[in-house]
Amino acid sequence: MLASFLITLREGLEAFLLVGIALSYLAKLNARQYNKYIYLGVFVGLLLSMLVAVVFQVVVDQFSNELYRHYLMAGILTFATVVLTYMAIWMQKQAKNQVAQMQQDVSDMVSSGNLFGLVFLSLLAVLREGFETILFFSALMYSNFGEFSTQDALIGAVAGLLLSLAIVWLMLRTTRNVPLRSFFRWTSLLIIVIAAGLLSSAVNMLQAAHILPIIHAQLFDVSNVLDDRGVFGTFLRALFGYNSSPGLLQLVVWGGYMVTFIFFWNRGYKQA
């Protein structure tokens, strides 16, 4: 639940913030009559995101061959790890540029009467975040080998979207200072830990597909202390990729990723 909450919170904040800035800038330009085109783009973006989710699931279900399914799952997990890592570390450097570009685009479209451009602008903001959310949810599902609770994930996802909407509304409708920098910093750290778990699961899938060697199948076993199939262990496995009896390669990849990208995360926020 927490993993899906964090993902939709981050994705929702970016999508809602960009759409909210577009609406606020239209108000500043005394062009509120164009708001309906922004709303239309958001609606179409949501519909297309749902369509992508259905098509994505249909494509995955076609892989009845277990070997090819391992390839597909490993690819999804790896790609999700890359995108999550980028989002967690480098997005804070792009935030101001992205907002300025959105304002400039809205201003140009209003002055030229480009109504299609306004629709496409909000559509693209929503569709991009929607696609990333679908990717991350699929990766979480595959990383837990069928133990991913759809109901819990849905609750967490809805809660994350509602909170992101409330934060954006607070920023745009009041003068209260929301400490987004600290918020993004620490949620980014949690997302890096989630990404490390996804990468570890990708290694497991590649080992099952006989692409990577199984150097040491079980390095140690702490299941008598905290079993990854117990109540709390399942929670840690769903959120962070916890494994009570990891293989050597899985542990090395997980540890190497954590050390490397926590270093870049820390350095990035010091420079910001």
Side-chain angles (χ1 to χ4, degrees), residues 143-145 147-148 200-201 204 217-218 220-247 250:
S143 68
N144 289 283
F145 311 103
E147 298 173 10
F148 184 75
S200 176
S201 297
N204 185 74
Q218 184 175 301
F220 55 81
D221 187 357
V222 293
S223 57
N224 59 327
V225 178
L226 182 59
D227 191 355
D228 60 14
R229 298 185 184 276
V231 177
F232 188 59
T234 301
F235 170 77
L236 292 178
R237 181 175 181 174
L239 183 57
F240 301 126
Y242 169 72
N243 190 340
S244 57
S245 54
Q250 282 182 281

Side-chain angles (χ1 to χ4, degrees), residues 30-264:
N30 293 319
R32 286 190 175 91
Q33 67 271 23
Y34 294 116
N35 284 3
K36 57 187 176 183
Y37 298 105
I38 298 292
Y39 293 133
L40 176 61
V42 171
F43 178 72
V44 175
L46 289 173
L47 285 181
L48 288 177
S49 295
M50 289 188 283
L51 180 62
V52 169
V54 172
V55 171
F56 192 82
Q57 191 58 50
V58 169
V59 170
V60 171
D61 289 341
Q62 298 307 308
F63 285 81
S64 56
N65 185 293
E66 186 176 0
L67 180 62
Y68 291 144
R69 201 174 179 88
H70 284 315
Y71 291 154
L72 178 64
M73 292 178 181
I76 292 172
L77 287 164
T78 304
F79 185 53
T81 301
V82 171
V83 177
L84 274 174
T85 305
Y86 172 81
M87 183 176 69
I89 297 179
W90 287 284
M91 277 308 294
Q92 80 271 12
K93 299 180 180 179
Q94 303 297 326
K96 288 185 178 180
N97 294 335
Q98 200 169 15
V99 169
Q101 186 61 50
M102 169 68 79
Q103 292 175 333
Q104 184 61 48
D105 289 343
V106 170
S107 182
D108 292 343
M109 289 169 191
V110 169
S111 61
S112 63
N114 185 2
L115 304 182
F116 175 77
L118 287 173
V119 174
F120 184 73
L121 194 66
S122 55
L123 183 155
L124 190 63
V126 173
L127 182 60
R128 183 182 61 206
E129 309 310 322
F131 174 75
E132 290 180 359
T133 301
I134 293 164
L135 176 68
F136 300 150
F137 268 72
S138 299
L140 286 171
M141 181 177 67
Y142 298 143
S143 68
N144 289 283
F145 311 103
E147 298 173 10
F148 184 75
S149 173
T150 304
Q151 183 178 357
D152 289 345
L154 185 60
I155 293 173
V158 171
L161 285 175
L162 290 177
L163 181 57
S164 65
L165 183 59
I167 291 173
V168 171
W169 180 88
L170 185 65
M171 290 177 61
L172 298 178
R173 296 293 181 180
T174 74
T175 57
R176 189 177 305 175
N177 183 24
V178 180
L180 279 182
R181 185 176 183 275
S182 297
F183 173 81
F184 276 121
R185 178 176 186 176
W186 298 112
T187 54
S188 294
L189 179 59
L190 283 174
I191 286 174
I192 286 175
V193 178
I194 293 171
L198 295 183
L199 184 60
S200 176
S201 297
V203 170
N204 185 74
M205 288 292 178
L206 291 173
Q207 287 177 323
H210 308 294
I211 294 178
L212 292 179
I214 302 176
I215 301 173
H216 198 299
Q218 184 175 301
L219 192 60
F220 55 81
D221 187 357
V222 293
S223 57
N224 59 327
V225 178
L226 182 59
D227 191 355
D228 60 14
R229 298 185 184 276
V231 177
F232 188 59
T234 301
F235 170 77
L236 292 178
R237 181 175 181 174
L239 183 57
F240 301 126
Y242 169 72
N243 190 340
S244 57
S245 54
L248 177 60
L249 187 57
Q250 282 182 281
L251 191 61
V252 168
V253 169
W254 181 88
Y257 176 93
M258 288 287 289
V259 170
T260 302
F261 287 101
I262 286 179
F263 168 77
F264 284 116

